[in-house]
């Protein structure tokens, strides 16, 4: 049976409610729609090809697409390792992206453009919330005009996701539109600042540094409420392995200098805490779960305001609450284990001990 490729924008059809694809047919549909990611789109694929659009089959098709993609990555990884030997994980990700079927099609210029977009989306997904129940999408536009650089999230909904007694309920979708410099990989990624401080860096322009401090005029994106984002324009300072975001160069210099000083102060407890795994850190300090932690504790460790608020929004903590229990901070650390959070936790515990709490 010959199947048709169905775009995500196709009109909905009835399909055949009692007709289910075989395992081979499901694989054929998955191979034909390699970038399938949304339940609504999967349902359209099944119905347009004459099958039932039941939630079970939708999940089965999405799982088959994921399985095929995983198998392709595994085979590509083995070929790269056989050819190049041991490859760092970050380099492997980009080699796999370049070797992907979508990148392999078309002209060399087309493959380069696809690699640029894939790298941008990978960085965005690593630090910004995405994947709502109704589906998620990312669109990247490359530009040579710095004034056009930006990031927007559009929230939509569909009523085809849920079944059973929830049928007809609206499911949220998040659609991300990114406008990035055409040379983002050279300008940002290769400098190691793509996700500096847990936020997505969209653009960088080197400024005259101060001593060992590197300065960049930058555009970056922080997490806002829900799936929303906030775009900031300011200066990023880097000193060694520490970075600091600020509105101007002077604030960035002062912030990164203070941050590095606090991070390198000799303290046996601090060093041993940093050597722990995430689970080990949670196990050791979980017993202090009732201790109050405030935004001021994070500021006292040298964390920048943008990074503090972005991390709080990413883990569902309202920065305006004033104080939250340490247990909530540790829950957030489990999913977003930033080094600045370790410092904040240790600072809050030490402050409590000094106060006799």
């Amino acid at each position: 049976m010959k199947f048709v490729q169905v775009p995500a924008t196709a009109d909905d059809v009835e399909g055949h409610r009692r007709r289910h694809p075989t395992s081979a047919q499901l694989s054929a549909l998955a191979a034909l729609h390699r970038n399938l990611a949304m339940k609504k789109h999967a349902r359209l694929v099944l119905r347009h090809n004459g099958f039932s659009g039941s939630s079970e089959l939708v999940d089965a098709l999405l799982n088959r697409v994921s399985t095929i993609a995983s198998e392709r990555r595994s085979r590509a990884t083995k070929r790269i390792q056989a050819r190049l030997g041991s490859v760092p994980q970050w380099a492997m990700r980009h080699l796999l992206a370049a070797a992907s079927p979508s990148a392999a099609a078309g002209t060399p210029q087309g493959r380069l453009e696809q690699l640029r977009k894939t790298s941008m989306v990978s960085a965005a997904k690593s630090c910004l919330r995405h994947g709502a129940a109704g589906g998620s999408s990312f669109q990247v536009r490359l530009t040579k005009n710095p004034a056009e650089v930006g990031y927007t999230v559009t929230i939509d909904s569909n009523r085809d996701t849920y079944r059973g007694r929830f049928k007809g309920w609206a499911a949220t979708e998040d659609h991300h539109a990114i406008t990035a410099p055409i040379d983002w990989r050279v300008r940002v990624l290769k400098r190691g600042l793509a996700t500096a401080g847990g936020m997505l860096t969209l653009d960088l322009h080197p400024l005259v540094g101060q001593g060992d401090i590197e300065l960049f005029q930058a555009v970056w994106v922080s997490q806002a409420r829900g799936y929303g984002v906030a775009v900031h324009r300011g200066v990023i300072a880097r000193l060694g392995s520490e970075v600091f975001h600020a509105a101007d160069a002077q604030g960035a210099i002062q912030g990164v200098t203070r941050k590095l000083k606090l991070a390198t102060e000799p303290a046996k407890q601090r060093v041993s805490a940093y050597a722990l795994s995430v689970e080990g850190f949670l196990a050791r300090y979980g017993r202090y779960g009732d201790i109050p932690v405030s935004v001021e504790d994070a500021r006292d460790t040298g964390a920048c305001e943008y990074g503090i608020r972005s991390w709080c929004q990413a883990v569902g903590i309202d920065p305006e609450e004033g104080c939250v229990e340490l247990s909530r901070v540790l829950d957030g650390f489990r999913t977003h284990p930033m080094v600045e959070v370790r410092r904040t936790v240790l600072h809050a515990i030490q402050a409590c001990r000094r106060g006799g709490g």
Side-chain angles (χ1 to χ4, degrees):
M1 179 178 180
K2 187 176 181 180
F3 296 121
V4 297
Q5 191 168 26
V6 183
T9 55
D11 294 331
D12 199 3
V13 296
E14 185 64 26
H16 292 274
R17 295 182 179 180
R18 296 185 179 181
R19 188 177 177 193
H20 291 199
T22 64
S23 179
Q25 290 172 331
L26 204 62
S27 294
L29 287 173
L32 194 60
H33 300 82
R34 294 173 179 174
N35 297 321
L36 192 64
M38 297 173 61
K39 290 186 176 183
K40 183 178 180 180
H41 189 189
R43 186 167 291 107
L44 289 173
V45 170
L46 289 165
R47 289 178 173 175
H48 275 270
N49 284 282
F51 297 112
S52 165
S54 68
S55 57
E56 293 80 9
L57 289 178
V58 167
D59 290 340
L61 179 56
L62 290 173
N63 288 337
R64 189 63 55 89
V65 170
S66 177
T67 299
I68 290 175
S70 178
E71 291 174 350
R72 287 196 180 107
R73 285 194 298 271
S74 178
R75 290 195 296 269
T77 299
K78 291 178 180 178
R79 288 197 299 269
I80 292 171
Q81 289 175 338
R83 189 178 306 168
L84 302 179
S86 179
V87 177
Q89 187 176 4
W90 66 267
M92 180 64 75
R93 285 197 298 270
H94 296 298
L95 289 170
L96 289 174
S100 67
S102 58
T107 64
Q109 183 62 34
R111 293 196 295 271
L112 176 59
E113 181 175 342
Q114 184 60 39
L115 176 58
R116 287 167 172 165
K117 292 181 177 180
T118 301
S119 301
M120 183 79 253
V121 172
S122 177
K125 287 184 175 181
S126 71
C127 58
L128 296 172
R129 190 180 293 118
H130 63 282
S136 181
S137 69
F138 284 81
Q139 290 186 342
V140 179
R141 184 171 72 88
L142 302 175
T143 181
K144 294 182 179 180
N145 183 358
E148 295 179 348
V149 171
Y151 194 124
T152 60
V153 178
T154 302
I155 302 299
D156 203 348
S157 65
N158 72 72
R159 298 182 180 276
D160 297 321
T161 297
Y162 299 117
R163 284 293 180 266
R165 64 194 182 99
F166 300 109
K167 183 176 181 180
W169 285 31
T172 301
E173 300 174 347
D174 58 289
H175 303 287
H176 302 245
I178 309 170
T179 302
I182 194 169
D183 58 348
W184 180 84
R185 293 174 64 244
V186 175
R187 187 189 297 269
V188 180
L189 184 63
K190 289 189 176 180
R191 283 192 169 104
L193 291 169
T195 56
M199 293 174 282
L200 176 68
T201 306
L202 286 179
D203 200 4
L204 286 178
H205 296 275
L207 301 173
V208 176
Q210 179 171 304
D212 293 332
I213 301 175
E214 299 175 89
L215 295 174
F216 303 90
Q217 194 72 40
V219 181
W220 66 90
V221 183
S222 65
Q223 185 69 60
R225 290 180 182 273
Y227 294 98
V229 298
V231 178
H232 309 275
R233 296 177 184 271
V235 176
I236 296 177
R238 178 165 64 180
L239 179 56
S241 61
E242 300 293 342
V243 295
F244 194 92
H245 300 70
D248 54 40
Q250 191 60 35
I253 292 170
Q254 292 174 352
V256 77
T257 302
R258 179 169 178 267
K259 190 174 180 180
L260 183 65
K261 179 182 177 181
L262 292 170
T264 55
E265 283 179 349
K268 183 177 180 181
Q269 182 64 22
R270 182 188 299 274
V271 173
S272 62
Y274 290 159
L276 293 171
S277 66
V278 172
E279 291 302 323
F281 188 85
L282 294 172
R284 174 177 292 181
Y285 298 106
R287 59 196 174 100
Y288 300 102
D290 295 333
I291 289 177
V293 182
S294 69
V295 172
E296 285 300 324
D297 289 315
R299 293 189 184 118
D300 288 344
T301 66
C304 68
E305 195 71 23
Y306 299 102
I308 294 170
R309 292 187 174 275
S310 182
W311 185 86
C312 287
Q313 297 289 4
V315 301
I317 294 176
D318 185 354
E320 306 303 328
E321 286 186 39
C323 285
V324 297
E325 291 185 344
L326 181 64
S327 58
R328 289 183 61 190
V329 176
L330 292 177
D331 286 341
F333 179 76
R334 186 188 299 276
T335 56
H336 292 72
M338 302 288 294
V339 65
E340 289 85 355
V341 182
R342 288 187 189 245
R343 294 171 187 160
T344 301
V345 169
L346 296 175
H347 175 78
I349 292 172
Q350 291 167 358
C352 183
R353 287 172 175 168
R354 287 194 299 268

